[in-house]
mmCIF file of all heavy atoms in Angstrom:
data_model
loop_
_atom_site.group_PDB
_atom_site.id
_atom_site.type_symbol
_atom_site.label_atom_id
_atom_site.label_comp_id
_atom_site.label_asym_id
_atom_site.label_seq_id
_atom_site.Cartn_x
_atom_site.Cartn_y
_atom_site.Cartn_z
ATOM 1 N N ARG L 267 13.632 9.569 -9.037
ATOM 2 C CA ARG L 267 12.638 9.174 -10.122
ATOM 3 C C ARG L 267 13.365 8.463 -11.178
ATOM 4 O O ARG L 267 12.883 7.398 -11.687
ATOM 5 C CB ARG L 267 12.034 10.501 -10.603
ATOM 6 C CG ARG L 267 10.602 10.520 -11.093
ATOM 7 C CD ARG L 267 9.624 10.018 -10.115
ATOM 8 N NE ARG L 267 9.220 8.646 -10.366
ATOM 9 C CZ ARG L 267 8.676 7.848 -9.503
ATOM 10 N NH1 ARG L 267 8.439 8.234 -8.281
ATOM 11 N NH2 ARG L 267 8.392 6.610 -9.842
ATOM 12 N N LYS L 268 14.509 8.928 -11.528
ATOM 13 C CA LYS L 268 15.283 8.357 -12.648
ATOM 14 C C LYS L 268 15.684 6.928 -12.314
ATOM 15 O O LYS L 268 15.626 6.005 -13.089
ATOM 16 C CB LYS L 268 16.537 9.216 -12.927
ATOM 17 C CG LYS L 268 17.052 9.166 -14.326
ATOM 18 C CD LYS L 268 18.147 10.268 -14.503
ATOM 19 C CE LYS L 268 19.304 9.639 -15.263
ATOM 20 N NZ LYS L 268 20.522 10.506 -15.204
ATOM 21 N N ALA L 269 16.097 6.774 -11.024
ATOM 22 C CA ALA L 269 16.605 5.460 -10.590
ATOM 23 C C ALA L 269 15.458 4.442 -10.558
ATOM 24 O O ALA L 269 15.603 3.315 -11.017
ATOM 25 C CB ALA L 269 17.169 5.601 -9.186
ATOM 26 N N ILE L 270 14.271 4.930 -10.055
ATOM 27 C CA ILE L 270 13.106 4.023 -10.062
ATOM 28 C C ILE L 270 12.705 3.654 -11.482
ATOM 29 O O ILE L 270 12.430 2.492 -11.804
ATOM 30 C CB ILE L 270 11.916 4.650 -9.276
ATOM 31 C CG1 ILE L 270 12.252 4.901 -7.855
ATOM 32 C CG2 ILE L 270 10.690 3.819 -9.455
ATOM 33 C CD1 ILE L 270 11.301 5.724 -7.090
ATOM 34 N N ALA L 271 12.735 4.609 -12.348
ATOM 35 C CA ALA L 271 12.313 4.489 -13.766
ATOM 36 C C ALA L 271 13.220 3.393 -14.384
ATOM 37 O O ALA L 271 12.657 2.483 -15.068
ATOM 38 C CB ALA L 271 12.395 5.739 -14.536
ATOM 39 N N ALA L 272 14.549 3.467 -14.144
ATOM 40 C CA ALA L 272 15.451 2.573 -14.812
ATOM 41 C C ALA L 272 15.219 1.136 -14.282
ATOM 42 O O ALA L 272 15.055 0.268 -15.119
ATOM 43 C CB ALA L 272 16.862 2.993 -14.445
ATOM 44 N N ALA L 273 15.061 0.968 -13.013
ATOM 45 C CA ALA L 273 14.866 -0.377 -12.522
ATOM 46 C C ALA L 273 13.535 -1.004 -12.907
ATOM 47 O O ALA L 273 13.472 -2.156 -13.347
ATOM 48 C CB ALA L 273 14.933 -0.411 -10.956
ATOM 49 N N MET L 274 12.496 -0.209 -12.895
ATOM 50 C CA MET L 274 11.174 -0.743 -13.201
ATOM 51 C C MET L 274 11.048 -0.976 -14.731
ATOM 52 O O MET L 274 10.366 -1.919 -15.148
ATOM 53 C CB MET L 274 10.133 0.227 -12.724
ATOM 54 C CG MET L 274 10.039 0.378 -11.193
ATOM 55 S SD MET L 274 9.683 -1.228 -10.356
ATOM 56 C CE MET L 274 11.309 -1.734 -9.787
ATOM 57 N N SER L 275 11.713 -0.208 -15.551
ATOM 58 C CA SER L 275 11.698 -0.502 -16.982
ATOM 59 C C SER L 275 12.333 -1.788 -17.307
ATOM 60 O O SER L 275 11.838 -2.551 -18.159
ATOM 61 C CB SER L 275 12.332 0.678 -17.711
ATOM 62 O OG SER L 275 11.647 1.869 -17.515
ATOM 63 N N VAL L 276 13.491 -2.044 -16.719
ATOM 64 C CA VAL L 276 14.142 -3.286 -16.925
ATOM 65 C C VAL L 276 13.196 -4.474 -16.492
ATOM 66 O O VAL L 276 13.065 -5.436 -17.178
ATOM 67 C CB VAL L 276 15.505 -3.342 -16.101
ATOM 68 C CG1 VAL L 276 16.073 -4.741 -16.056
ATOM 69 C CG2 VAL L 276 16.558 -2.378 -16.707
ATOM 70 N N SER L 277 12.557 -4.270 -15.353
ATOM 71 C CA SER L 277 11.736 -5.330 -14.833
ATOM 72 C C SER L 277 10.621 -5.616 -15.837
ATOM 73 O O SER L 277 10.369 -6.803 -16.171
ATOM 74 C CB SER L 277 11.139 -4.869 -13.520
ATOM 75 O OG SER L 277 10.252 -5.868 -13.044
ATOM 76 N N ASN L 278 9.917 -4.567 -16.298
ATOM 77 C CA ASN L 278 8.769 -4.875 -17.157
ATOM 78 C C ASN L 278 9.193 -5.321 -18.508
ATOM 79 O O ASN L 278 8.379 -6.009 -19.215
ATOM 80 C CB ASN L 278 7.898 -3.634 -17.240
ATOM 81 C CG ASN L 278 6.551 -3.820 -16.524
ATOM 82 O OD1 ASN L 278 6.426 -4.760 -15.698
ATOM 83 N ND2 ASN L 278 5.636 -2.987 -16.821
ATOM 84 N N ARG L 279 10.397 -4.924 -18.881
ATOM 85 C CA ARG L 279 10.830 -5.406 -20.233
ATOM 86 C C ARG L 279 11.344 -6.885 -20.179
ATOM 87 O O ARG L 279 11.112 -7.624 -21.103
ATOM 88 C CB ARG L 279 12.037 -4.534 -20.629
ATOM 89 C CG ARG L 279 12.424 -4.649 -22.142
ATOM 90 C CD ARG L 279 13.324 -3.510 -22.566
ATOM 91 N NE ARG L 279 14.502 -3.352 -21.750
ATOM 92 C CZ ARG L 279 14.848 -2.254 -21.061
ATOM 93 N NH1 ARG L 279 14.110 -1.187 -21.143
ATOM 94 N NH2 ARG L 279 15.944 -2.157 -20.349
#
Side-chain angles (χ1 to χ4, degrees):
Chain L
R267 213 53 262 159
K268 208 171 136 194
I270 295 170
M274 295 299 100
S275 298
V276 168
S277 177
N278 251 15
R279 194 165 56 235

